[in-house]
Amino acid sequence: MQHHRDEILVEWATEARSAASARGLTDAELKNVMPLVLAALTGGAEWNGLKRPIESHVADRIRRGFEIGEIVEEFAILERCVADSVRRSPADLRPTEEELARLFVTLQSIMVQTTDVFQEHMRLDEQREKRYLRQLRTLADTALRAPSGAHDGLEARLHEAMEIVREAMGADAAALLLYEPESRKLVTRAVAGDVEAGLQEFADSVDLDSFTGQVAAHAQATELSDVVTTELKVSDALRFSGIHSLLGVRLPRQHRFLGIMYIGMREARPFTNRETRRLEALGEGLTLHLDNAKLHAELREHLSELEAERALRERFVAVLAHDLRGPLATAKMSTCLLDELDDGAEQRPALIRSIDQNLDLIDKMIHDLLDVSRMRAGQRLPLRIDWCDLRTLADEVVGDLRAVHGERFEIEGDPEVRGLWSRDELKRALWNLAENGAKYGAPDSPVTIRLERRRREAVVAVRNLGPAIRPQDREHIFDLFARTRAAPPIGASWGLGLASVRACVEAHGGTVSVDSGADETTFTMILPLDARPHQP
């Protein structure tokens, strides 16, 4: 047998290579431990010294994605090659029956040992995977317990999560991309590894001709064995980063697309089934924790909003009660003075006007309060539709405001704009816009009301000069309490005016918008000439 050792090894390599040709193994990688095993079988080496080389051989085959049957088959091929060599040998050079039996028993023992080593590796591999999944869960749980707004939340720890994934996969880099429905783009949220810049530039495309697009488009894992030779779209930064092979998985989230995660290796090679399965398991674990974190953050934000709304509502009632006491006290005092006056007293008309004005103010406050309740409930304002003229309303509003703000108001445009609207609601909306123009525009600058009648609609534009409204304020300027989310001081604006303007315009079936530049701001109401079809 010793004389035929080289011949057996060549025959084994020829047969084994056909079974392992897809693995891309070199001759040295293919033969690996077999020369030592053959030497031990033929008496050229000690059997006791094979244990560590066999363990190393099995570990190498596992890393390359071999299954247990494939690893054991290599030794079964060796057994057949030895048997064939024995049959071809002259009778006087053949081993005895006892030697052959001992040789084949030894090979069977090697195969049993190989199976045991493989199972132990799988057990340790499973424990390793569970450990990394546990680390992801611990990372998410820690972030969930963090105070609201703290920097150690899950959002800030995604980089740490990618470090865990990179270590679990034995990869050189790992990246997480989350999908933004608004922009319909994948956005890089975390990159870990020593080639972060290259991956950062590459991770922004969902086109099907890019790797990220391919990952996003397929439920199964997607791999790229070499970024240098691929026909897919690859950035120059990644192509020359040193990363060659990529493996990516889509992150499942019920029926929605959450994002993708992928790893990169410096070695250009295909990925094994075991590596794919592990990355999929890590992706499923990460998705679960991301969903839990998002739900927790949304719940915490909702509770915070409810608490703020409760405090705001309590403060609103307190301020309203305080503001109501003023005109009520004035009206009450005026009635007492009236009672003390003689029938022909000259002060009587002035006192009656004071009572009337304060009662109107109280009525307006109660009207605003009812409107707030309707708007909070998502209801439309009730309208009493009749023919009215916007020019007449504008004249009345300007007359009232000039008594307070002076001769700052101008009316332009068509002399008559008639339609079927709610006179009282439109007058209040126009009054709010014009008063805002006087209050927040440049001092002593004109406030212009422009009226225009079109074919099927009327346009009312209120323009004032002054600094622009900030974009972040324009976004919510028509919301309730938009002036301030904190409780304002007594007598300050609650930001109800513009909210009531929008409610009035929408109840008429129209739209309201704001355009604010460097020197002027214009609020524009567009109303259908007949609001009746838009009433419930």
Side-chain angles (χ1 to χ4, degrees):
M1 287 293 297
Q2 294 181 12
H3 301 90
H4 301 286
R5 189 184 303 168
D6 292 339
E7 176 188 328
I8 293 173
L9 189 58
V10 170
E11 184 179 344
W12 173 88
T14 301
E15 188 173 346
R17 192 178 302 281
S18 64
S21 58
R23 305 292 181 184
L25 300 177
T26 65
D27 188 64
E29 291 168 342
L30 175 68
K31 293 177 179 178
N32 199 346
V33 75
M34 289 306 166
L36 289 177
V37 172
L38 194 57
L41 291 174
T42 56
E46 291 293 329
W47 163 247
N48 293 334
L50 280 181
K51 184 177 181 180
R52 187 174 296 277
I54 288 177
E55 289 179 351
S56 177
H57 171 77
V58 173
D60 177 76
R61 290 303 194 248
I62 290 175
R63 281 194 301 271
R64 297 177 183 278
F66 279 61
E67 300 294 340
I68 180 61
E70 295 172 310
I71 300 174
V72 171
E73 184 185 11
E74 292 184 312
F75 294 101
I77 293 172
L78 181 62
E79 185 179 40
R80 290 198 300 270
C81 292
V82 169
D84 290 343
S85 178
V86 169
R87 282 194 299 273
R88 290 195 301 268
S89 299
D92 58 333
L93 295 179
R94 293 177 187 173
T96 64
E97 292 294 331
E98 290 184 0
E99 289 175 335
L100 277 176
R102 186 168 56 252
L103 184 148
F104 291 126
V105 166
T106 301
L107 269 174
Q108 291 296 322
S109 298
I110 290 175
M111 286 186 272
V112 170
Q113 182 183 353
T114 298
T115 302
D116 292 341
V117 171
F118 183 90
Q119 296 297 342
E120 179 65 14
H121 268 275
M122 290 298 98
R123 186 183 66 80
L124 294 175
D125 191 64
E126 184 178 350
Q127 288 181 341
R128 184 168 176 255
E129 183 175 306
K130 289 180 179 178
R131 175 164 60 89
Y132 288 117
L133 287 171
R134 187 168 59 250
Q135 288 180 8
L136 284 177
R137 184 174 64 250
T138 301
L139 180 68
D141 291 343
T142 303
L144 290 178
R145 291 193 297 270
S148 180
H151 291 295
D152 58 348
L154 184 62
E155 187 71 18
R157 294 197 173 191
L158 289 178
H159 178 83
E160 189 175 346
M162 287 303 97
E163 284 289 2
I164 293 174
V165 171
R166 187 177 71 87
E167 182 181 344
M169 297 299 301
D172 296 298
L176 174 67
L177 287 68
L178 298 183
Y179 182 68
E180 287 188 347
E182 298 81 9
S183 62
R184 303 185 68 182
K185 288 185 178 181
L186 283 169
V187 178
T188 305
R189 303 303 291 269
V191 178
D194 53 0
V195 288
E196 295 183 13
L199 290 181
Q200 190 82 21
E201 290 188 27
F202 182 54
D204 62 355
S205 173
V206 289
D207 296 335
L208 287 179
D209 59 350
S210 69
F211 172 71
T212 49
Q214 286 290 313
V215 177
H218 296 92
Q220 68 273 19
T222 303
E223 69 173 88
L224 185 60
S225 58
D226 192 352
V227 300
V228 176
T229 60
T230 182
E231 295 181 358
L232 292 176
K233 185 191 299 181
V234 178
S235 70
D236 290 339
L238 179 64
R239 195 182 298 275
F240 301 108
S241 66
I243 291 293
H244 284 276
S245 52
L246 299 172
L247 176 65
V249 293
R250 186 168 69 180
L251 301 182
R253 186 179 179 182
Q254 297 178 350
H255 302 296
R256 291 178 292 168
F257 174 53
L258 178 63
I260 70 171
M261 178 175 70
Y262 64 89
I263 60 169
M265 302 282 194
R266 291 188 178 278
E267 180 184 4
R269 65 169 178 84
F271 289 88
T272 66
N273 292 335
R274 191 168 296 105
E275 288 173 323
T276 300
R277 187 194 59 77
R278 170 170 292 177
L279 189 62
E280 290 172 340
L282 291 169
E284 290 173 1
L286 183 62
T287 300
L288 175 64
H289 303 321
L290 285 172
D291 273 349
N292 288 341
K294 187 176 187 300
L295 288 174
H296 183 85
E298 289 175 351
L299 178 61
R300 188 158 56 187
E301 181 180 355
H302 184 58
L303 290 175
S304 177
E305 288 178 353
L306 288 176
E307 181 63 25
E309 183 175 331
R310 182 190 64 80
L312 196 63
R313 188 166 55 247
E314 292 176 356
R315 179 65 174 160
F316 176 69
V317 172
V319 171
L320 181 64
H322 177 277
D323 288 350
L324 280 171
R325 280 198 297 269
L328 281 173
T330 302
K332 179 67 175 176
M333 182 178 64
S334 298
T335 59
C336 292
L337 291 173
L338 275 175
D339 189 52
E340 297 174 0
L341 291 175
D342 295 332
D343 290 343
E346 296 179 358
Q347 298 97 323
R348 188 182 303 277
L351 290 173
I352 292 175
R353 283 196 302 273
S354 175
I355 293 172
D356 188 57
Q357 289 172 355
N358 282 282
L359 289 177
D360 284 344
L361 182 58
I362 292 171
D363 181 67
K364 182 181 181 302
M365 290 182 181
I366 294 174
H367 199 156
D368 286 344
L369 183 59
L370 291 174
D371 285 352
V372 167
S373 299
R374 293 188 183 101
M375 285 185 279
R376 294 296 292 172
Q379 300 174 356
R380 283 195 169 192
L381 300 183
L383 303 180
R384 294 166 58 181
I385 304 295
D386 203 348
W387 284 102
C388 64
D389 179 19
L390 287 178
R391 183 62 182 242
T392 302
L393 295 184
D395 287 335
E396 293 176 5
V397 168
V398 167
D400 292 340
L401 291 174
R402 279 174 177 166
V404 180
H405 299 284
E407 301 292 327
R408 298 178 55 186
F409 300 91
E410 303 172 352
I411 303 177
E412 299 177 348
D414 296 338
E416 182 182 77
V417 182
R418 288 177 57 79
L420 284 161
W421 302 305
S422 172
R423 184 184 190 282
D424 293 339
E425 292 298 337
L426 276 185
K427 181 178 178 180
R428 194 154 65 105
L430 188 54
W431 187 92
N432 276 318
L433 291 179
E435 191 196 35
N436 273 0
K439 286 171 61 177
Y440 301 108
D444 302 323
S445 64
V447 176
T448 304
I449 301 175
R450 181 170 183 81
L451 308 173
E452 180 184 353
R453 188 188 190 283
R454 297 176 181 170
R455 183 179 179 184
R456 296 181 180 177
E457 61 191 18
V459 179
V460 183
V462 180
R463 183 180 74 251
N464 66 269
L465 304 180
I469 302 172
R470 298 182 305 172
Q472 59 266 39
D473 292 334
R474 289 202 298 269
E475 185 178 353
H476 300 286
I477 199 167
F478 293 104
D479 294 347
L480 275 172
F481 307 120
R483 185 70 60 201
T484 174
R485 292 304 296 175
I490 301 298
S493 168
W494 278 86
L496 301 180
L498 292 178
S500 68
V501 169
R502 180 174 67 177
C504 167
V505 173
E506 290 180 350
H508 282 84
T511 60
V512 61
S513 60
V514 59
D515 182 28
S516 189
D519 300 319
E520 66 178 38
T521 296
T522 302
F523 286 88
T524 303
M525 297 187 295
I526 300 179
L527 304 165
L529 294 179
D530 186 354
R532 290 176 300 178
H534 303 282
Q535 303 314 299

